[in-house]
Amino acid sequence: MDPEGPLRKDGRIFTRDKGDGKPVYGENLLEHDGFIYREWIPWRSKLGALFKKREDVPGLYGNILYLGAAQGTTVSHISDLLDDGIIYAVEFSPVAFRKLVAIAKNRKNIVPILADAFHPERYRAMVPVVDIIYQDVSQKDQVGMFAKNATMFLKKGGSGFLMLKARSVDVTARPEDIFNIASKELKKEGFEVEAVEDLSPFQVDHAAILVTLP
Ligand SMILES: C[S@@+](CC[C@H](N)C(=O)[O-])C[C@H]1O[C@@H](n2cnc3c(N)ncnc32)[C@H](O)[C@@H]1O
């Protein structure tokens, strides 16, 4: 893990670029101490929103299974922060995947995987046991997907970041109720829920549920 985490400057956050020094998704660049940093925009990334809201985000280290990588916006910032380890980035939309592959070409620590994360057995041969699972998919059964992947890949003592979109689970229910139900389901699946952080105003109706596997 980068011991410094993201750089915090004038109320904004940045990661030190490990790519080709160009913006990945239109973000601003900053030169600082002889390095190029990329601004992490909290309206574009739930993990960016979490870092904006909390100073004590659990460390990102080791091997990471990332479910719902899309075009690689958040993946690129995790790639900047990782000292060692690999991000196994799963995405099932071929259009988003093409952009993800282009980003991975400029970096040494991203393995893009075109697959449906509801079927972890299909990428079992490509992914080792991991230290962290990060999930951000707008789907109905987000806890089910997370638990399935954790059973197959997450090591004991590992941690999870479940970015939950309340409206994908139930458009009619109050987001706080959805977050509570999801936390209870995660406990039933054997996880310890360490924190539930509402990501508004950056990501409305979304929460980050942080868990560990005892
Ligand atoms: C909200 S976007 C992710 C944004 C991304 N995590 C970021 O911050 O840069 C959700 C992504 O999950 C993907 N997705 C949804 N269901 C999936 C599934 N079953 N397997 C793999 N990817 C899935 C969608 O195609 C979409 O790209």
Side-chain angles (χ1 to χ4, degrees):
M1 175 201 166
D2 180 346
E4 303 296 326
L7 171 72
R8 294 178 187 270
K9 203 170 186 306
D10 304 328
R12 293 148 73 197
I13 53 174
F14 299 84
T15 56
R16 199 165 90 195
D17 182 62
K18 288 208 176 118
D20 58 4
K22 294 187 184 139
V24 169
Y25 57 101
E27 72 280 23
N28 291 318
L29 300 181
L30 169 81
E31 272 194 55
H32 178 80
D33 280 350
F35 294 101
I36 292 175
Y37 283 77
R38 298 184 302 117
E39 184 170 6
W40 199 343
I41 304 176
W43 289 274
R44 299 285 300 275
S45 163
K46 279 140 221 151
L47 189 56
L50 183 66
F51 271 108
K52 274 288 280 180
K53 295 200 72 168
R54 294 175 77 109
E55 299 261 336
D56 61 340
V57 175
L60 293 158
Y61 63 93
N63 289 325
I64 300 180
L65 175 60
Y66 190 121
L67 308 173
Q71 294 94 340
T73 300
T74 300
V75 168
S76 71
H77 286 292
I78 298 177
S79 159
D80 285 350
L81 288 176
L82 267 190
D83 258 354
D84 48 22
I86 300 286
I87 308 161
Y88 297 88
V90 178
E91 171 55 51
F92 78 169
S93 152
V95 176
F97 189 74
R98 271 201 289 279
K99 181 83 195 295
L100 178 66
V101 168
I103 289 167
K105 276 193 184 135
N106 289 323
R107 293 164 178 270
K108 295 198 172 88
N109 57 8
I110 303 172
V111 174
I113 299 171
L114 180 63
D116 182 344
F118 278 117
H119 294 281
E121 70 283 358
R122 294 183 188 162
Y123 44 89
R124 186 172 208 155
M126 300 175 72
V127 179
V129 168
V130 298
D131 302 280
I132 294 173
I133 295 183
Y134 182 98
Q135 179 179 305
D136 175 17
V137 297
S138 317
Q139 288 278 4
K140 211 164 166 48
D141 186 15
Q142 293 166 66
V143 171
M145 176 192 283
F146 185 83
K148 244 183 178 180
N149 279 270
T151 302
M152 204 165 280
F153 300 112
L154 188 61
K155 74 159 145 202
K156 276 198 188 312
S159 51
F161 294 67
L162 176 54
M163 302 304 186
L164 195 76
K165 180 175 180 178
R167 302 261 171 236
S168 293
V169 178
D170 185 343
V171 275
T172 60
R174 291 186 331 145
E176 308 83 80
D177 294 339
I178 301 286
F179 303 152
N180 283 336
I181 291 167
S183 299
K184 279 189 194 138
E185 285 173 3
L186 285 161
K187 284 180 194 158
K188 245 192 240 161
E189 295 283 352
F191 298 99
E192 271 170 20
V193 175
E194 308 291 346
V196 180
E197 182 76 51
D198 189 319
L199 296 178
S200 58
F202 306 109
Q203 304 276 341
V204 176
D205 296 338
H206 285 77
I209 305 184
L210 309 181
V211 303
T212 50
L213 184 63

